[in-house]
Every structure is written in C-alpha cells, then in structure tokens.
Amino acid sequence: MIISDHQRVVPGCPCRGERGGGSLAMFEHARDHIDLYLALAGSRGGTVALGTIRQILSDLVRNELAAKPDAPSPDPIPRDLVVHYVVGAFMAVLTWWLDGGAELPPQRIDAMFRRLVAEGVNVACF
C-alpha cells in the first residue's frame, strides 16, 4: 500500500509505526469526560467547546503537514483540504461515538477512525 501525506498526518496512524498516539489519547480523554460532553451537547457551550477542539486539531495537523516535504504528485491535494478532511473525519467519529454513549472501547474507535482515514470510505461501504 502506498502511504500518502494525509495518512501520515493522523496522530497515531498505524502507518507511522507508532502505537497509540494523539488520536487514541483524544478518544481516551473524551471517554473519561463523557459526562461533561453529554451535559454540554446541544448547548451553546458544547458548540464553543467543539469549535475550540476543531481549531486546536486543525493547528496540530497543519503544523505536522508543514514539517513534511511535499511529495511529487501530478494532481496534488491542497494541504488545507487535507487538514479539513482529517479533522472533520475525527470530529465526526468522536461525536458519533460520544452521542452513542462511548460504548466501544477507545482503542476500537481509534482503530476504526485510522482505518477510515488510511483506507477511505470504499473499504467500509462498498
């Protein structure tokens, strides 16, 4: 499998040869604070908190991408689009998981998130 920049940028992505990593730590932290999330969900405070998390994650992903040289490509994907894609996917998985009561263990939801980012939606749905 060819590993692209958007796969490498995911903290803890298995293609980086690391175990755990940033995304797993985020899922573990969220699970530990699910009561706070559920109390804020649907409120203005929840919207502000999720927006802040999105901005922090965007900055982290953008900084990690900036540290990597551009891979030669006949049809490059703009880095800003990669940032939005990865962070949007993470936030979608995180909120889906928390809204469902975080029943899956953090390690499992992290593995599913990283698989979706690394392999794409075709693997999961088609």
Side-chain angles (χ1 to χ4, degrees):
M1 175 173 79
I2 297 173
I3 299 171
S4 63
D5 273 350
H6 73 277
Q7 292 166 327
R8 285 188 190 98
V9 77
V10 179
C13 181
C15 52
R16 291 178 59 190
E18 298 174 6
R19 295 194 49 84
S23 58
L24 176 57
M26 290 289 294
F27 286 119
E28 290 172 338
H29 181 78
R31 183 221 33 223
D32 291 345
H33 295 89
I34 190 170
D35 292 340
L36 178 59
Y37 171 80
L38 293 174
L40 289 172
S43 72
R44 179 165 160 68
T47 302
V48 170
L50 290 175
T52 300
I53 292 167
R54 180 181 295 276
Q55 185 58 51
I56 291 168
L57 291 174
S58 294
D59 291 344
L60 290 171
V61 172
R62 190 173 294 108
N63 289 341
E64 189 166 335
L65 279 174
K68 298 186 181 308
D70 286 326
S73 172
D75 187 20
I77 298 173
R79 285 185 181 209
D80 197 47
L81 175 56
V82 175
V83 170
H84 283 275
Y85 175 79
V86 171
V87 172
F90 179 83
M91 295 301 294
V93 170
L94 177 69
T95 56
W96 173 84
W97 181 59
L98 292 174
D99 288 343
E103 292 183 10
L104 295 170
Q107 295 80 3
R108 178 75 178 119
I109 197 70
D110 182 59
M112 289 189 289
F113 162 69
R114 290 185 288 145
R115 182 174 176 206
L116 283 169
V117 170
E119 299 177 18
V121 176
N122 285 337
V123 165
C125 297
F126 301 103

